[in-house]
Amino acid sequence: SHNGVGSTSPSFVSPIIPSSPTTYAASFDGLNNQYDIADDPKINTGTGYLGYQRAISVWFIANTIDQTGNGSAIWSEGGTTNSLNMYVYNNGTSNNLYCNAVEGGGSPQDYVSYPVSTGVLYNVGCMFDFNGAGRIDMYIDGKLVDSNTSLAVGTSLAAHGNNNALGGVDQNTINHLSSQLSGKFRSE
């Protein structure tokens, strides 16, 4: 089982993806639901994966976006030293989606972001290319919405030893401000 210690699997509801071939989608309560995935060399840098390129893609509807915390994780992998994550965060004036790459405990780190609204279905893809193009691209509904080509992380993302999580944080991964992500994702 991939359900980690201290987490509760999300409930499953009718699919939100148009013309979905599956019968269910995960619904996260924002309190204690997350789906943990054990670390693996094919996910992490090392055997089977060298850390040069990575894509993270999800469909989501945010029910609420925390206005007081440091962000609610949709996808997280790694910890405070080296990690990749996708999360929603309110910066005081708007709700935003972030894709973030962290090395060395927050310095250097690179990210892209885009404003999002609650109650709206998004199909998001974040493409991390550290070696070839040297960029992070965020796509929403197939359209490029943000790109970062001045990567401080370098030509590959260093290995991490922590697990991955959908809807929360398995370890202490950090946001674009070098603060620990504090919330679990709350979906529709």
Side-chain angles (χ1 to χ4, degrees):
S1 169
H2 290 298
N3 189 23
V5 175
S7 69
T8 305
S9 291
S11 58
F12 292 94
V13 296
S14 297
I16 60 172
I17 301 169
S19 302
S20 175
T22 63
T23 20
Y24 297 104
S27 178
F28 297 91
D29 66 6
L31 301 172
N32 62 2
N33 291 159
Q34 74 182 47
Y35 193 77
D36 294 334
I37 303 162
D39 192 29
D40 186 278
K42 292 181 181 174
I43 297 173
N44 198 344
T45 56
T47 306
Y49 173 64
L50 300 177
Y52 302 138
Q53 296 175 322
R54 178 65 74 78
I56 299 171
S57 178
V58 299
W59 290 79
F60 77 92
I61 299 174
N63 190 17
T64 60
I65 297 177
D66 185 9
Q67 308 253 334
T68 60
N70 293 325
S72 299
I74 296 171
W75 169 261
S76 66
E77 114 181 31
T80 55
T81 304
N82 302 316
S83 62
L84 290 177
N85 51 54
M86 180 188 294
Y87 57 94
V88 289
Y89 174 81
N90 182 284
N91 64 13
T93 59
S94 66
N95 295 323
N96 294 282
L97 173 69
Y98 287 83
C99 290
N100 190 34
V102 177
E103 267 196 347
S107 180
Q109 74 173 284
D110 300 296
Y111 65 90
V112 291
S113 66
Y114 193 75
V116 293
S117 299
T118 57
V120 175
L121 176 63
Y122 293 98
N123 177 9
V124 179
C126 290
M127 313 307 171
F128 299 87
D129 187 346
F130 300 105
N131 193 27
R135 62 190 297 142
I136 301 173
D137 294 320
M138 179 188 287
Y139 293 85
I140 295 184
D141 299 328
K143 178 183 171 190
L144 180 65
V145 296
D146 195 15
S147 187
N148 180 349
T149 58
S150 59
L151 300 187
V153 168
T155 59
S156 69
L157 186 65
H160 61 75
N162 297 314
N163 294 327
N164 312 291
L166 187 61
V169 176
D170 181 67
Q171 298 293 326
N172 299 326
T173 189
I174 59 177
N175 70 9
H176 62 288
L177 301 172
S178 297
S179 298
Q180 181 178 336
L181 284 175
S182 57
K184 293 185 184 292
F185 182 69
R186 183 168 182 188
S187 61
E188 199 66 15

